[in-house]
Amino acid sequence: MKYTKLGNADLKVSRICLGCMGFGDSGRGQHSWTLDEAHSREIIQCALELGVNFYDTAIAYQSGTSEQYLGRALRDYAKRDEVVVATKFLPRTPQEIENGISGQQHIENMLNTSLKNLGMDYVDLYIYHMWDWNTPIEDILEGLHNVVKAGKARYIGISNCFAWQLAKANAIAEKEGFAKFVSVQGHYNLIFREEEREMLPYCEEENIAVTPYSALASGRLSRLPGAQTKRAAEDTYAKFKYDATEQQDNVIIKRVAELAEKHGVTMTEISLAWLLTHATAPVVGATKMKHIEEAVGAAEFVLPGDEIAYLEEPYIPHALAGVMAQNKPSEANQKHVWSTGDQKIGGSEDE
């Protein structure tokens, strides 16, 4: 496994981050295809053995059970100071706003719940999951700075934002003496490259780590067009993100398959090898042992420049989808694609 520094943070991370959205109680969240604890532990243990030290989860994933599975597995299979754990918090709920819960108190409540789920005293990276239009960014930044000062989070990151939002937030943080965002986790892969317009150049200029999610486009970049899996059949969110552009995306996916056959590797390895030329550490989900094995293999595979260009050439601009399509003031009071489910947030209501 290859390792790198996470932007401006003093964190050494594997070039592959294991995304834990696929772990958790399938009856308690957005997804029906998630793995139970026993199978989740097998994959986490395998990832550790292969040198993966970077793990990404969220309180929103299956109502906190993803955090619980990850925390218990890492406690049994790893030393705490040898892994980098990231989790995320959601925007304030309408009920919290009505009850006068500030952004700062909300962040403290959310992180306390996540730490309890993980069974940890701190997280290495605490991520602002999506822009909260109902809460001033100054309130968010001060709340995040407070948890960093308290030692509950070592660094902070952001997800699902525009480059201008990240630039604005870090400018305010610098002015106020608050902790700055050291990483950004956006929707980025070979068939969805809108982050290249402004986000990637900005991050390169500011040395902000890029840790994209949907690295394999919910599996579309790891299999031939038309191939079906249980997740492909049941993941309505992924269908929402990709079905409208299927025809144009398939041109690229077929080129991935062509290069995989040429090199005698998997489509996963080709797709991630391309992404690794643009990103610090892609967040890669795994629901089978081979998924993490292939992802780790990609970190060792180098695509020649002409093949990178060959993969990129057919791309056609895409409309925003999913969380980013909702990142605007008119959507502020609508329900996001991620919701808290039955996860109780804050204070004495913690599970």
Side-chain angles (χ1 to χ4, degrees):
M1 173 55 68
K2 294 179 180 178
Y3 300 86
T4 190
K5 193 165 178 278
L6 190 75
N8 293 310
D10 186 22
L11 294 172
K12 182 180 178 182
V13 298
S14 49
R15 290 298 311 277
I16 297 296
C17 174
L18 180 61
C20 301
M21 189 181 75
F23 306 153
D25 186 337
S26 61
R28 293 186 58 191
Q30 185 184 27
H31 302 301
S32 60
W33 44 267
T34 53
L35 298 185
D36 62 22
E37 186 161 8
H39 290 95
S40 300
R41 288 170 65 88
E42 289 176 358
I43 291 175
I44 294 165
Q45 185 176 25
C46 178
L48 288 164
E49 291 171 352
L50 292 172
V52 175
N53 77 336
F54 192 11
Y55 295 83
D56 175 271
T57 185
I59 199 169
Y61 298 162
Q62 303 306 107
S63 301
T65 57
S66 171
E67 291 179 323
Q68 293 166 13
Y69 291 6
L70 175 65
R72 287 193 284 262
L74 291 179
R75 183 174 64 244
D76 290 344
Y77 302 137
K79 295 179 180 178
R80 179 65 187 91
D81 61 356
E82 293 180 355
V83 291
V84 175
V85 177
T87 194
K88 313 178 194 75
F89 68 96
L90 292 160
R92 287 188 301 164
T93 65
Q95 187 64 49
E96 284 178 302
I97 294 170
E98 184 179 335
N99 292 342
I101 301 297
S102 69
Q104 295 177 50
Q105 186 61 55
H106 168 75
I107 288 168
E108 183 179 2
N109 292 344
M110 292 285 271
L111 182 52
N112 285 342
T113 302
S114 287
L115 292 175
K116 184 174 181 179
N117 285 338
L118 289 161
M120 296 176 179
D121 296 326
Y122 69 93
V123 292
D124 300 280
L125 185 65
Y126 198 41
I127 300 173
Y128 185 19
H129 205 156
M130 60 194 68
W131 198 264
D132 182 354
W133 287 93
N134 290 316
T135 306
I137 185 60
E138 293 83 358
D139 198 19
I140 295 292
L141 289 169
E142 188 164 3
L144 287 169
H145 185 67
N146 289 341
V147 297
V148 171
K149 283 197 305 181
K152 294 181 178 181
R154 294 180 65 190
Y155 297 96
I156 60 170
I158 192 169
S159 182
N160 295 302
C161 68
F162 294 111
W164 72 262
Q165 292 173 318
L166 175 52
K168 175 182 177 179
N170 271 357
I172 294 171
E174 185 167 358
K175 178 183 176 183
E176 299 295 334
F178 294 153
K180 296 169 68 174
F181 293 118
V182 301
S183 67
V184 62
Q185 187 177 129
H187 179 195
Y188 181 49
N189 57 52
L190 190 51
I191 60 174
F192 193 91
R193 292 169 47 202
E194 300 309 299
E195 292 285 78
E196 293 176 10
R197 297 178 184 274
E198 295 187 2
M199 184 62 83
L200 264 61
Y202 174 72
C203 289
E204 183 176 4
E205 177 72 18
E206 298 294 321
N207 194 32
I208 294 171
V210 176
T211 63
Y213 68 82
S214 204
L216 293 169
S218 299
R220 283 158 178 75
L221 285 163
S222 66
R223 59 178 182 266
L224 286 167
Q228 285 297 312
T229 65
K230 183 177 188 291
R231 174 174 176 177
E234 296 180 8
D235 195 343
T236 55
Y237 182 41
K239 290 176 182 291
F240 170 68
K241 287 195 293 184
Y242 296 109
D243 278 6
T245 59
E246 183 176 20
Q247 185 174 352
Q248 66 200 65
D249 295 343
N250 282 347
V251 176
I252 299 169
I253 293 170
K254 288 174 182 176
R255 292 192 180 194
V256 172
E258 176 189 334
L259 293 182
E261 183 175 2
K262 173 184 174 181
H263 290 286
V265 297
T266 64
M267 291 176 65
T268 292
E269 287 169 281
I270 295 292
S271 299
L272 291 179
W274 173 85
L275 189 54
L276 282 161
T277 66
H278 296 73
T280 309
V283 178
V284 183
T287 54
K288 294 180 180 177
M289 210 73 75
K290 70 173 186 176
H291 294 163
I292 190 60
E293 293 169 347
E294 292 173 0
V296 169
E300 304 298 326
F301 185 80
V302 179
L303 277 170
D306 61 331
E307 292 183 355
I308 291 173
Y310 180 64
L311 290 170
E312 293 179 350
E313 185 271 332
Y315 185 75
I316 297 172
H318 285 49
L320 295 178
V323 177
M324 283 301 290
Q326 296 179 319
N327 188 359
K328 50 190 176 181
S330 61
E331 301 291 328
N333 294 311
Q334 296 188 20
K335 184 179 180 181
H336 283 284
V337 293
W338 287 110
S339 63
T340 56
D342 61 358
Q343 175 67 41
K344 297 175 183 176
I345 305 300
S348 61
E349 295 182 352
D350 288 356
E351 292 182 333

mmCIF file of all heavy atoms in Angstrom, residues 102-105 107 128 131-146 156 165 168-173 175-176 178-179 181:
data_model
loop_
_atom_site.group_PDB
_atom_site.id
_atom_site.type_symbol
_atom_site.label_atom_id
_atom_site.label_comp_id
_atom_site.label_asym_id
_atom_site.label_seq_id
_atom_site.Cartn_x
_atom_site.Cartn_y
_atom_site.Cartn_z
ATOM 1 N N SER A 102 -28.245 25.778 18.731
ATOM 2 C CA SER A 102 -27.306 26.476 17.847
ATOM 3 C C SER A 102 -26.495 25.476 17.030
ATOM 4 O O SER A 102 -26.432 24.282 17.346
ATOM 5 C CB SER A 102 -26.356 27.340 18.668
ATOM 6 O OG SER A 102 -25.469 26.515 19.418
ATOM 7 N N GLY A 103 -25.837 25.998 15.999
ATOM 8 C CA GLY A 103 -24.947 25.156 15.209
ATOM 9 C C GLY A 103 -23.835 24.576 16.058
ATOM 10 O O GLY A 103 -23.450 23.414 15.893
ATOM 11 N N GLN A 104 -23.315 25.377 16.994
ATOM 12 C CA GLN A 104 -22.236 24.901 17.858
ATOM 13 C C GLN A 104 -22.694 23.747 18.753
ATOM 14 O O GLN A 104 -22.010 22.728 18.889
ATOM 15 C CB GLN A 104 -21.715 26.053 18.717
ATOM 16 C CG GLN A 104 -21.048 27.155 17.909
ATOM 17 C CD GLN A 104 -20.611 28.304 18.777
ATOM 18 O OE1 GLN A 104 -19.960 28.108 19.800
ATOM 19 N NE2 GLN A 104 -20.971 29.523 18.413
ATOM 20 N N GLN A 105 -23.856 23.893 19.356
ATOM 21 C CA GLN A 105 -24.378 22.832 20.218
ATOM 22 C C GLN A 105 -24.725 21.593 19.408
ATOM 23 O O GLN A 105 -24.496 20.463 19.842
ATOM 24 C CB GLN A 105 -25.622 23.325 20.966
ATOM 25 C CG GLN A 105 -26.151 22.327 21.991
ATOM 26 C CD GLN A 105 -25.134 22.007 23.086
ATOM 27 O OE1 GLN A 105 -24.629 22.901 23.741
ATOM 28 N NE2 GLN A 105 -24.816 20.727 23.262
ATOM 29 N N ILE A 107 -23.259 20.553 16.649
ATOM 30 C CA ILE A 107 -22.023 19.842 16.312
ATOM 31 C C ILE A 107 -21.507 19.057 17.511
ATOM 32 O O ILE A 107 -21.112 17.890 17.385
ATOM 33 C CB ILE A 107 -20.968 20.846 15.802
ATOM 34 C CG1 ILE A 107 -21.364 21.325 14.394
ATOM 35 C CG2 ILE A 107 -19.572 20.231 15.788
ATOM 36 C CD1 ILE A 107 -20.572 22.510 13.903
ATOM 37 N N TYR A 128 -17.999 17.980 7.700
ATOM 38 C CA TYR A 128 -19.266 18.695 7.486
ATOM 39 C C TYR A 128 -19.931 18.059 6.269
ATOM 40 O O TYR A 128 -19.539 18.305 5.140
ATOM 41 C CB TYR A 128 -18.912 20.168 7.260
ATOM 42 C CG TYR A 128 -20.025 21.168 7.124
ATOM 43 C CD1 TYR A 128 -21.312 20.923 7.569
ATOM 44 C CD2 TYR A 128 -19.760 22.411 6.550
ATOM 45 C CE1 TYR A 128 -22.305 21.884 7.448
ATOM 46 C CE2 TYR A 128 -20.740 23.381 6.430
ATOM 47 C CZ TYR A 128 -22.017 23.111 6.873
ATOM 48 O OH TYR A 128 -22.996 24.064 6.753
ATOM 49 N N TRP A 131 -23.757 21.237 3.067
ATOM 50 C CA TRP A 131 -23.927 22.644 3.428
ATOM 51 C C TRP A 131 -25.297 22.866 4.048
ATOM 52 O O TRP A 131 -26.316 22.459 3.508
ATOM 53 C CB TRP A 131 -23.766 23.507 2.194
ATOM 54 C CG TRP A 131 -23.503 24.949 2.495
ATOM 55 C CD1 TRP A 131 -24.432 25.949 2.546
ATOM 56 C CD2 TRP A 131 -22.245 25.560 2.772
ATOM 57 N NE1 TRP A 131 -23.827 27.151 2.834
ATOM 58 C CE2 TRP A 131 -22.476 26.942 2.985
ATOM 59 C CE3 TRP A 131 -20.931 25.091 2.870
ATOM 60 C CZ2 TRP A 131 -21.454 27.844 3.274
ATOM 61 C CZ3 TRP A 131 -19.915 25.976 3.160
ATOM 62 C CH2 TRP A 131 -20.176 27.336 3.358
ATOM 63 N N ASP A 132 -25.294 23.520 5.199
ATOM 64 C CA ASP A 132 -26.529 23.794 5.948
ATOM 65 C C ASP A 132 -26.911 25.259 5.735
ATOM 66 O O ASP A 132 -26.351 26.157 6.348
ATOM 67 C CB ASP A 132 -26.290 23.500 7.433
ATOM 68 C CG ASP A 132 -27.524 23.711 8.292
ATOM 69 O OD1 ASP A 132 -28.546 24.189 7.761
ATOM 70 O OD2 ASP A 132 -27.460 23.397 9.497
ATOM 71 N N TRP A 133 -27.858 25.474 4.853
ATOM 72 C CA TRP A 133 -28.261 26.835 4.509
ATOM 73 C C TRP A 133 -29.034 27.521 5.636
ATOM 74 O O TRP A 133 -29.237 28.734 5.608
ATOM 75 C CB TRP A 133 -29.105 26.832 3.235
ATOM 76 C CG TRP A 133 -28.284 26.575 2.005
ATOM 77 C CD1 TRP A 133 -28.040 25.371 1.413
ATOM 78 C CD2 TRP A 133 -27.585 27.551 1.220
ATOM 79 N NE1 TRP A 133 -27.234 25.529 0.315
ATOM 80 C CE2 TRP A 133 -26.941 26.860 0.167
ATOM 81 C CE3 TRP A 133 -27.434 28.932 1.301
ATOM 82 C CZ2 TRP A 133 -26.173 27.517 -0.801
ATOM 83 C CZ3 TRP A 133 -26.665 29.578 0.341
ATOM 84 C CH2 TRP A 133 -26.040 28.877 -0.694
ATOM 85 N N ASN A 134 -29.462 26.757 6.625
ATOM 86 C CA ASN A 134 -30.208 27.327 7.740
ATOM 87 C C ASN A 134 -29.326 27.710 8.921
ATOM 88 O O ASN A 134 -29.829 28.186 9.943
ATOM 89 C CB ASN A 134 -31.273 26.319 8.213
ATOM 90 C CG ASN A 134 -32.389 26.171 7.206
ATOM 91 O OD1 ASN A 134 -32.880 27.164 6.671
ATOM 92 N ND2 ASN A 134 -32.778 24.945 6.916
ATOM 93 N N THR A 135 -28.032 27.477 8.801
ATOM 94 C CA THR A 135 -27.109 27.761 9.898
ATOM 95 C C THR A 135 -25.940 28.585 9.372
ATOM 96 O O THR A 135 -25.277 28.155 8.419
ATOM 97 C CB THR A 135 -26.583 26.447 10.520
ATOM 98 O OG1 THR A 135 -27.688 25.627 10.907
ATOM 99 C CG2 THR A 135 -25.716 26.743 11.739
ATOM 100 N N PRO A 136 -25.651 29.749 9.944
ATOM 101 C CA PRO A 136 -24.536 30.568 9.465
ATOM 102 C C PRO A 136 -23.215 29.797 9.487
ATOM 103 O O PRO A 136 -22.939 29.060 10.444
ATOM 104 C CB PRO A 136 -24.498 31.739 10.450
ATOM 105 C CG PRO A 136 -25.885 31.804 11.015
ATOM 106 C CD PRO A 136 -26.366 30.384 11.077
ATOM 107 N N ILE A 137 -22.420 29.969 8.445
ATOM 108 C CA ILE A 137 -21.153 29.243 8.381
ATOM 109 C C ILE A 137 -20.250 29.621 9.555
ATOM 110 O O ILE A 137 -19.472 28.789 10.045
ATOM 111 C CB ILE A 137 -20.445 29.490 7.030
ATOM 112 C CG1 ILE A 137 -19.176 28.634 6.901
ATOM 113 C CG2 ILE A 137 -20.130 30.971 6.829
ATOM 114 C CD1 ILE A 137 -19.398 27.147 6.977
ATOM 115 N N GLU A 138 -20.363 30.829 10.045
ATOM 116 C CA GLU A 138 -19.562 31.235 11.205
ATOM 117 C C GLU A 138 -19.888 30.376 12.425
ATOM 118 O O GLU A 138 -18.994 30.024 13.208
ATOM 119 C CB GLU A 138 -19.803 32.718 11.531
ATOM 120 C CG GLU A 138 -19.292 33.689 10.478
ATOM 121 C CD GLU A 138 -20.259 33.896 9.322
ATOM 122 O OE1 GLU A 138 -21.331 33.245 9.302
ATOM 123 O OE2 GLU A 138 -19.939 34.716 8.440
ATOM 124 N N ASP A 139 -21.162 30.040 12.589
ATOM 125 C CA ASP A 139 -21.604 29.203 13.703
ATOM 126 C C ASP A 139 -21.047 27.781 13.550
ATOM 127 O O ASP A 139 -20.589 27.161 14.513
ATOM 128 C CB ASP A 139 -23.140 29.187 13.740
ATOM 129 C CG ASP A 139 -23.699 28.737 15.078
ATOM 130 O OD1 ASP A 139 -22.973 28.774 16.080
ATOM 131 O OD2 ASP A 139 -24.893 28.350 15.109
ATOM 132 N N ILE A 140 -21.088 27.275 12.317
ATOM 133 C CA ILE A 140 -20.535 25.949 12.033
ATOM 134 C C ILE A 140 -19.037 25.926 12.320
ATOM 135 O O ILE A 140 -18.517 25.024 12.996
ATOM 136 C CB ILE A 140 -20.792 25.562 10.562
ATOM 137 C CG1 ILE A 140 -22.294 25.412 10.274
ATOM 138 C CG2 ILE A 140 -20.031 24.276 10.201
ATOM 139 C CD1 ILE A 140 -22.959 24.248 10.958
ATOM 140 N N LEU A 141 -18.329 26.918 11.819
ATOM 141 C CA LEU A 141 -16.875 26.951 11.985
ATOM 142 C C LEU A 141 -16.467 27.064 13.453
ATOM 143 O O LEU A 141 -15.505 26.410 13.896
ATOM 144 C CB LEU A 141 -16.289 28.113 11.185
ATOM 145 C CG LEU A 141 -16.325 27.943 9.662
ATOM 146 C CD1 LEU A 141 -15.966 29.250 8.985
ATOM 147 C CD2 LEU A 141 -15.389 26.824 9.214
ATOM 148 N N GLU A 142 -17.194 27.881 14.216
ATOM 149 C CA GLU A 142 -16.859 27.992 15.631
ATOM 150 C C GLU A 142 -17.136 26.692 16.365
ATOM 151 O O GLU A 142 -16.362 26.276 17.244
ATOM 152 C CB GLU A 142 -17.624 29.147 16.278
ATOM 153 C CG GLU A 142 -17.174 29.430 17.698
ATOM 154 C CD GLU A 142 -17.615 30.779 18.229
ATOM 155 O OE1 GLU A 142 -18.338 31.518 17.507
ATOM 156 O OE2 GLU A 142 -17.249 31.101 19.378
ATOM 157 N N GLY A 143 -18.239 26.030 15.995
ATOM 158 C CA GLY A 143 -18.540 24.737 16.607
ATOM 159 C C GLY A 143 -17.467 23.700 16.297
ATOM 160 O O GLY A 143 -17.054 22.928 17.175
ATOM 161 N N LEU A 144 -16.995 23.686 15.070
ATOM 162 C CA LEU A 144 -15.934 22.749 14.695
ATOM 163 C C LEU A 144 -14.621 23.093 15.392
ATOM 164 O O LEU A 144 -13.890 22.209 15.848
ATOM 165 C CB LEU A 144 -15.755 22.754 13.173
ATOM 166 C CG LEU A 144 -16.882 22.065 12.397
ATOM 167 C CD1 LEU A 144 -16.763 22.346 10.896
ATOM 168 C CD2 LEU A 144 -16.874 20.559 12.650
ATOM 169 N N HIS A 145 -14.335 24.373 15.486
ATOM 170 C CA HIS A 145 -13.115 24.796 16.191
ATOM 171 C C HIS A 145 -13.169 24.371 17.654
ATOM 172 O O HIS A 145 -12.152 23.933 18.222
ATOM 173 C CB HIS A 145 -12.967 26.313 16.084
ATOM 174 C CG HIS A 145 -11.687 26.820 16.662
ATOM 175 N ND1 HIS A 145 -10.448 26.547 16.112
ATOM 176 C CD2 HIS A 145 -11.451 27.583 17.774
ATOM 177 C CE1 HIS A 145 -9.513 27.122 16.841
ATOM 178 N NE2 HIS A 145 -10.082 27.749 17.855
ATOM 179 N N ASN A 146 -14.337 24.448 18.242
ATOM 180 C CA ASN A 146 -14.486 24.059 19.647
ATOM 181 C C ASN A 146 -14.183 22.582 19.868
ATOM 182 O O ASN A 146 -13.539 22.215 20.867
ATOM 183 C CB ASN A 146 -15.898 24.380 20.136
ATOM 184 C CG ASN A 146 -16.148 25.872 20.280
ATOM 185 O OD1 ASN A 146 -15.209 26.672 20.351
ATOM 186 N ND2 ASN A 146 -17.409 26.266 20.298
ATOM 187 N N ILE A 156 -10.591 18.926 10.559
ATOM 188 C CA ILE A 156 -11.939 18.992 10.009
ATOM 189 C C ILE A 156 -11.890 18.957 8.483
ATOM 190 O O ILE A 156 -10.945 19.439 7.853
ATOM 191 C CB ILE A 156 -12.705 20.239 10.487
ATOM 192 C CG1 ILE A 156 -11.992 21.531 10.063
ATOM 193 C CG2 ILE A 156 -12.894 20.189 11.997
ATOM 194 C CD1 ILE A 156 -12.809 22.791 10.286
ATOM 195 N N GLN A 165 -17.818 27.842 -1.696
ATOM 196 C CA GLN A 165 -18.209 27.642 -0.305
ATOM 197 C C GLN A 165 -17.008 27.255 0.548
ATOM 198 O O GLN A 165 -16.837 27.756 1.671
ATOM 199 C CB GLN A 165 -19.304 26.575 -0.221
ATOM 200 C CG GLN A 165 -20.627 27.031 -0.830
ATOM 201 C CD GLN A 165 -21.652 25.925 -0.911
ATOM 202 O OE1 GLN A 165 -21.333 24.788 -1.265
ATOM 203 N NE2 GLN A 165 -22.907 26.254 -0.602
ATOM 204 N N LYS A 168 -14.792 30.363 0.888
ATOM 205 C CA LYS A 168 -15.387 31.311 1.835
ATOM 206 C C LYS A 168 -15.191 30.830 3.271
ATOM 207 O O LYS A 168 -14.787 31.612 4.155
ATOM 208 C CB LYS A 168 -16.871 31.477 1.540
ATOM 209 C CG LYS A 168 -17.620 32.341 2.537
ATOM 210 C CD LYS A 168 -19.104 32.430 2.199
ATOM 211 C CE LYS A 168 -19.866 33.244 3.241
ATOM 212 N NZ LYS A 168 -21.314 33.361 2.902
ATOM 213 N N ALA A 169 -15.467 29.549 3.508
ATOM 214 C CA ALA A 169 -15.360 29.002 4.866
ATOM 215 C C ALA A 169 -13.925 29.108 5.384
ATOM 216 O O ALA A 169 -13.691 29.533 6.530
ATOM 217 C CB ALA A 169 -15.828 27.553 4.880
ATOM 218 N N ASN A 170 -12.962 28.728 4.558
ATOM 219 C CA ASN A 170 -11.580 28.765 5.035
ATOM 220 C C ASN A 170 -11.058 30.191 5.188
ATOM 221 O O ASN A 170 -10.211 30.457 6.052
ATOM 222 C CB ASN A 170 -10.675 27.955 4.107
ATOM 223 C CG ASN A 170 -10.595 26.494 4.539
ATOM 224 O OD1 ASN A 170 -11.168 26.103 5.548
ATOM 225 N ND2 ASN A 170 -9.893 25.689 3.768
ATOM 226 N N ALA A 171 -11.577 31.120 4.389
ATOM 227 C CA ALA A 171 -11.192 32.524 4.562
ATOM 228 C C ALA A 171 -11.711 33.053 5.896
ATOM 229 O O ALA A 171 -10.994 33.769 6.626
ATOM 230 C CB ALA A 171 -11.733 33.360 3.409
ATOM 231 N N ILE A 172 -12.949 32.716 6.237
ATOM 232 C CA ILE A 172 -13.517 33.131 7.524
ATOM 233 C C ILE A 172 -12.748 32.481 8.675
ATOM 234 O O ILE A 172 -12.419 33.132 9.675
ATOM 235 C CB ILE A 172 -15.012 32.775 7.596
ATOM 236 C CG1 ILE A 172 -15.804 33.607 6.576
ATOM 237 C CG2 ILE A 172 -15.566 32.991 9.008
ATOM 238 C CD1 ILE A 172 -17.251 33.167 6.416
ATOM 239 N N ALA A 173 -12.449 31.189 8.520
ATOM 240 C CA ALA A 173 -11.719 30.478 9.569
ATOM 241 C C ALA A 173 -10.352 31.115 9.805
ATOM 242 O O ALA A 173 -9.922 31.303 10.953
ATOM 243 C CB ALA A 173 -11.561 29.012 9.189
ATOM 244 N N LYS A 175 -9.476 34.221 9.190
ATOM 245 C CA LYS A 175 -9.678 35.541 9.787
ATOM 246 C C LYS A 175 -9.982 35.442 11.280
ATOM 247 O O LYS A 175 -9.487 36.246 12.087
ATOM 248 C CB LYS A 175 -10.820 36.254 9.074
ATOM 249 C CG LYS A 175 -11.160 37.629 9.655
ATOM 250 C CD LYS A 175 -12.355 38.230 8.943
ATOM 251 C CE LYS A 175 -12.759 39.563 9.596
ATOM 252 N NZ LYS A 175 -13.969 40.149 8.970
ATOM 253 N N GLU A 176 -10.779 34.450 11.669
ATOM 254 C CA GLU A 176 -11.215 34.315 13.059
ATOM 255 C C GLU A 176 -10.277 33.455 13.903
ATOM 256 O O GLU A 176 -10.487 33.313 15.115
ATOM 257 C CB GLU A 176 -12.624 33.721 13.104
ATOM 258 C CG GLU A 176 -13.688 34.569 12.406
ATOM 259 C CD GLU A 176 -13.913 35.899 13.072
ATOM 260 O OE1 GLU A 176 -13.658 36.008 14.301
ATOM 261 O OE2 GLU A 176 -14.317 36.853 12.383
ATOM 262 N N PHE A 178 -9.921 30.191 13.497
ATOM 263 C CA PHE A 178 -10.540 28.883 13.675
ATOM 264 C C PHE A 178 -9.771 27.817 12.876
ATOM 265 O O PHE A 178 -8.992 28.130 11.972
ATOM 266 C CB PHE A 178 -11.986 28.897 13.184
ATOM 267 C CG PHE A 178 -12.920 29.778 13.971
ATOM 268 C CD1 PHE A 178 -14.054 30.321 13.368
ATOM 269 C CD2 PHE A 178 -12.700 30.068 15.311
ATOM 270 C CE1 PHE A 178 -14.932 31.131 14.077
ATOM 271 C CE2 PHE A 178 -13.561 30.874 16.038
ATOM 272 C CZ PHE A 178 -14.686 31.410 15.412
ATOM 273 N N ALA A 179 -10.035 26.558 13.200
ATOM 274 C CA ALA A 179 -9.509 25.451 12.406
ATOM 275 C C ALA A 179 -10.048 25.546 10.976
ATOM 276 O O ALA A 179 -11.210 25.899 10.774
ATOM 277 C CB ALA A 179 -9.915 24.121 13.040
ATOM 278 N N PHE A 181 -10.652 23.798 7.032
ATOM 279 C CA PHE A 181 -10.902 22.507 6.393
ATOM 280 C C PHE A 181 -9.639 22.036 5.671
ATOM 281 O O PHE A 181 -9.054 22.774 4.873
ATOM 282 C CB PHE A 181 -12.061 22.606 5.401
ATOM 283 C CG PHE A 181 -13.396 22.868 6.047
ATOM 284 C CD1 PHE A 181 -14.107 24.030 5.765
ATOM 285 C CD2 PHE A 181 -13.948 21.959 6.932
ATOM 286 C CE1 PHE A 181 -15.335 24.277 6.356
ATOM 287 C CE2 PHE A 181 -15.182 22.188 7.534
ATOM 288 C CZ PHE A 181 -15.879 23.353 7.242
#
